[in-house]
Amino acid sequence: MIRKLIHPSLVSSRYFRRAFNLIRKARAIIIGKGRSVVSLKQAQADPDEQAQDGTDGIATLRNALSEVEFYQPLYRLDQALFTSAMPRRPCLDRADAILNACGGNVAGTRFLDVGSSLGFFSFYLADRGAQVMGLENNEGNLRVAQLVKSLVGLNPEFMAGALDQRFVDQLPDDRFECALLLSVLHHIVHYRGIPFTQVLLRKLLRKIPVLFVELALKDEKADVFWRPAQPDDPLALFALCENAQIELLGEFPTHLSEAKRPFYKITRGGTFYVNRRPYNIEKVFHRAYRDSPIGATRTYYLAPGAFIKAYRFAEDSDLARCNQEQIIREIANYTSIRHSGAQPRCLPQMLGFEIGAGQASIVLTRLDGELLSDRLGHLSPREQAQVLQGIIRGLAELRSLGLHHNDLRCWNIVVGERDVYLIDLGFASGVQLEETKSALLWLMAEMARARVLTYEYPRRGVPLAEAAQYGPVFEEIAEWLLRSPDPVDLDALDHEIASKVRVRRRNSFRHVPSPSLRGHLHGKSH
């Protein structure tokens, strides 16, 4: 509001920014003083707040609390007045994550709190000016929330009900701007199944544009009834939510096991921002290639002319550390190539990037073509030889820049109409970590056998010991490689292929649609 009252020419000045920040800090201090814990003395100060059906409000709440699971803290109340127990889960960490994801301001925003329990999140948001409706199917929890409401003087609404087909169908479009589904969906999956839940979430996201979702995991080491029904990848529940933007806000502990549950912000529509630049998203997926063992912590976006990789590493795990190392190394490699002034034909160009505390993103030019892993079995003998020559020329081009790819896999190679591209520089460096000779032999064996032979990293040795096992297309080339030392003389190998197989200097590949996800992108993939 303050910015709207100031002339635009002044908003950009550093003096205005300083003044505006001071006003914001002062406002936060004033509001923060209004959110202190309600003590026994405060609760007893107003006799009207004590009276609940002729009984003391505190005693009534104490009794009501003893009849339910003490799952959430009592918002702005001294817990010791009502129970000697501790709440099962803290909530302030996730509540703050929601507030931060909303830009620090939820005033006037309409929230639906699904499975509101004892009302902590509803009260937290209402305390900051949001309009909140809590949906809860446990009568005891509802009663506790209403009693807390009478003591803290906040005004969220609570209603009895469950998130089901009927509720979503009757929900008016955009009645709410955001919905909370915190550790709720695993119960729906258990009782109704994954397909039902997927359809329900697709409908819900069409009605409410932003969902804050905490997802239980199938591999939580807890003896709970709902665990076997859960999907291996929890984000599979949103498989029908086309073009949804999925952002990991963090991972938070539970009372059931040592596992931390991922907490996502899922946004309807197709806009993803990288370094403040918007990209209109056409497709979202979480596995870079078919049968990839890595899913939930990596998100891929297809936009007009752009391909975006977003890796999350907020949690403390080996996978998170791997994500962080790979994407930051890839950003560093593309930055170095850009500063060198080189424009390698074998690589997409980097359009932008962003590195945050728990996530990093890189934007690359979108390539015309398909992954080689999706083309296995769909290439003619001549095309197989052309692909191999394109790979070798790409490796030579990288080597001229002082880089070894170090992760040469058929899912890291894009076969275009005229060119072959090498993608994913997450392992690329000036040090050779994998033998080029071995990597090429593995690729030749996979093209000959029309399938991926292994997902292991690093690949060691050779897949087939005899040159004839690589098939008629690659037999002579395999024989040359098997007797050659490493590092391979790529120029000599290129000449060897050209001398044994007639390959046009400018490649040309016929397009054969594949059945995978990438094959449904009108020949455009990355």
Side-chain angles (χ1 to χ4, degrees):
M1 177 62 72
I2 295 173
R3 289 178 180 268
K4 292 180 180 179
L5 299 176
I6 305 296
H7 192 276
S9 63
L10 297 178
V11 171
S12 61
S13 72
R14 66 177 184 272
Y15 302 105
F16 171 81
R17 290 197 298 270
R18 286 181 184 175
F20 183 74
N21 287 334
L22 287 173
I23 293 171
R24 287 180 62 187
K25 289 180 180 179
R27 180 177 179 272
I29 293 171
I30 294 169
I31 294 175
K33 290 181 178 179
R35 297 188 183 123
S36 57
V37 172
V38 177
S39 65
L40 176 61
K41 182 177 179 180
Q42 289 171 313
Q44 292 177 337
D46 188 344
D48 291 335
E49 290 189 356
Q50 296 182 47
Q52 301 287 338
D53 299 326
T55 62
D56 179 78
I58 294 176
T60 304
L61 178 54
R62 185 183 297 122
N63 292 334
L65 189 61
S66 67
E67 297 176 359
V68 300
E69 180 185 16
F70 189 21
Y71 184 69
Q72 296 178 342
L74 302 178
Y75 187 78
R76 279 183 55 192
L77 291 176
D78 185 349
Q79 317 293 304
L81 296 177
F82 308 98
T83 178
S84 59
M86 295 294 292
R88 290 292 186 93
R89 292 194 67 185
C91 296
L92 187 59
D93 49 2
R94 288 172 291 159
D96 286 343
I98 294 169
L99 182 65
N100 291 335
C102 293
N105 183 10
V106 294
T109 305
R110 305 184 305 277
F111 282 86
L112 174 66
D113 185 5
V114 178
S116 54
S117 187
L118 308 185
F120 183 93
F121 293 97
S122 296
F123 291 119
Y124 176 96
L125 295 168
D127 199 7
R128 288 153 180 80
Q131 302 173 28
V132 188
M133 170 70 75
L135 181 69
E136 175 59 48
N137 64 356
N138 184 296
E139 292 183 3
N141 288 343
L142 276 175
R143 177 164 171 74
V144 170
Q146 295 288 7
L147 290 168
V148 172
K149 177 179 176 179
S150 70
L151 290 174
V152 299
L154 295 171
N155 62 348
E157 298 296 327
F158 295 98
M159 66 175 291
L163 183 66
D164 54 23
Q165 194 83 33
R166 182 180 179 183
F167 176 85
V168 175
D169 287 342
Q170 294 179 350
L171 189 67
D173 290 349
D174 294 329
R175 163 68 177 82
F176 298 100
E177 297 167 84
C178 302
L180 312 186
L181 298 96
L182 309 185
S183 291
V184 169
L185 295 178
H186 58 282
H187 293 292
I188 300 176
V189 170
H190 172 75
Y191 289 109
R192 303 302 299 272
I194 294 174
F196 174 89
T197 308
Q198 290 174 328
V199 172
L200 188 70
L201 289 172
R202 179 177 61 186
K203 289 185 175 182
L204 184 64
L205 194 59
R206 288 174 178 174
K207 297 291 185 75
I208 303 176
V210 178
L211 308 180
F212 290 95
V213 182
E214 183 181 48
L215 297 174
L217 304 176
K218 187 172 186 176
D219 59 358
E220 290 185 22
K221 295 180 179 179
D223 185 18
V224 287
F225 64 91
W226 47 259
R227 190 158 61 94
Q230 306 310 306
D232 293 332
D233 180 355
L235 285 176
L237 297 179
F238 296 90
L240 302 183
C241 299
E242 297 181 356
N243 301 332
Q245 176 183 334
I246 301 177
E247 177 185 359
L248 181 71
L249 301 181
E251 293 188 327
F252 299 94
T254 76
H255 60 297
L256 295 176
S257 71
E258 295 181 357
K260 294 183 178 181
R261 291 180 179 173
F263 189 29
Y264 297 100
K265 178 183 179 182
I266 299 179
T267 306
R268 181 179 71 202
T271 303
F272 187 82
Y273 290 85
V274 177
N275 202 15
R276 298 184 180 180
R277 179 178 174 181
Y279 294 88
N280 295 321
I281 304 304
E282 298 175 348
K283 194 76 176 180
V284 181
F285 46 99
H286 299 278
R287 296 189 185 276
Y289 52 92
R290 186 173 49 204
D291 300 325
S292 168
I294 301 175
T297 61
R298 299 182 179 184
T299 307
Y300 304 90
Y301 303 91
L302 288 174
F307 171 77
I308 305 168
K309 300 167 65 171
Y311 283 15
R312 296 181 288 276
F313 41 79
E315 68 277 14
D316 182 18
S317 68
D318 290 340
L319 178 57
R321 285 184 284 274
C322 180
N323 284 348
Q324 183 178 32
E325 179 181 347
Q326 285 190 35
I327 195 162
I328 290 178
R329 181 179 290 179
E330 182 162 28
I331 291 169
N333 283 328
Y334 274 105
T335 301
S336 176
I337 292 170
R338 175 188 286 178
H339 288 168
S340 73
Q343 293 183 339
R345 185 174 178 175
C346 67
L347 298 175
Q349 294 183 22
M350 183 175 71
L351 303 178
F353 68 89
E354 180 177 339
I355 301 175
Q359 176 171 298
S361 304
I362 183 171
V363 186
L364 303 168
T365 53
R366 184 168 165 178
L367 302 175
D368 289 339
E370 292 180 275
L371 298 181
L372 176 57
S373 56
D374 290 338
R375 296 291 300 273
L376 295 178
H378 299 280
L379 294 170
S380 69
R382 178 175 295 277
E383 288 170 333
Q384 291 181 38
Q386 290 173 332
V387 167
L388 180 61
Q389 189 167 45
I391 293 168
I392 291 166
R393 291 174 179 172
L395 292 175
E397 199 169 14
L398 278 183
R399 191 177 288 182
S400 70
L401 297 171
L403 290 175
H404 298 273
H405 190 279
N406 290 325
D407 193 18
L408 196 62
R409 304 292 188 273
C410 58
W411 54 85
N412 287 334
I413 297 163
V414 173
V415 179
E417 291 293 331
R418 294 186 175 275
D419 293 295
V420 174
Y421 303 94
L422 305 182
I423 61 173
D424 197 344
L425 299 185
F427 284 101
S429 73
V431 178
Q432 182 171 304
L433 304 177
E434 276 195 328
E435 286 190 356
T436 302
K437 166 183 171 177
S438 176
L440 289 171
L441 287 168
W442 277 100
L443 285 175
M444 289 159 56
E446 288 175 335
M447 282 193 278
R449 300 294 177 90
R451 62 184 178 88
V452 175
L453 297 179
T454 181
Y455 292 96
E456 292 182 357
Y457 187 91
R459 288 178 173 177
R460 303 185 185 280
V462 297
L464 305 170
E466 301 294 331
Q469 295 176 294
Y470 291 85
V473 175
F474 299 123
E475 180 178 357
E476 293 184 75
I477 302 167
E479 184 178 358
W480 189 94
L481 273 172
L482 286 168
R483 68 170 185 261
S484 299
D486 204 77
V488 174
D489 185 335
L490 295 174
D491 290 334
L493 181 55
D494 185 9
H495 178 75
E496 183 73 13
I497 295 174
S499 67
K500 297 186 181 302
V501 183
R502 293 181 180 179
V503 180
R504 286 177 292 173
R505 187 71 181 176
R506 187 167 181 78
N507 299 331
S508 178
F509 306 103
R510 62 185 176 87
H511 176 64
V512 180
S514 68
S516 70
L517 170 65
R518 302 303 181 86
H520 293 290
L521 299 178
H522 305 291
K524 296 177 181 292
S525 181
H526 186 21

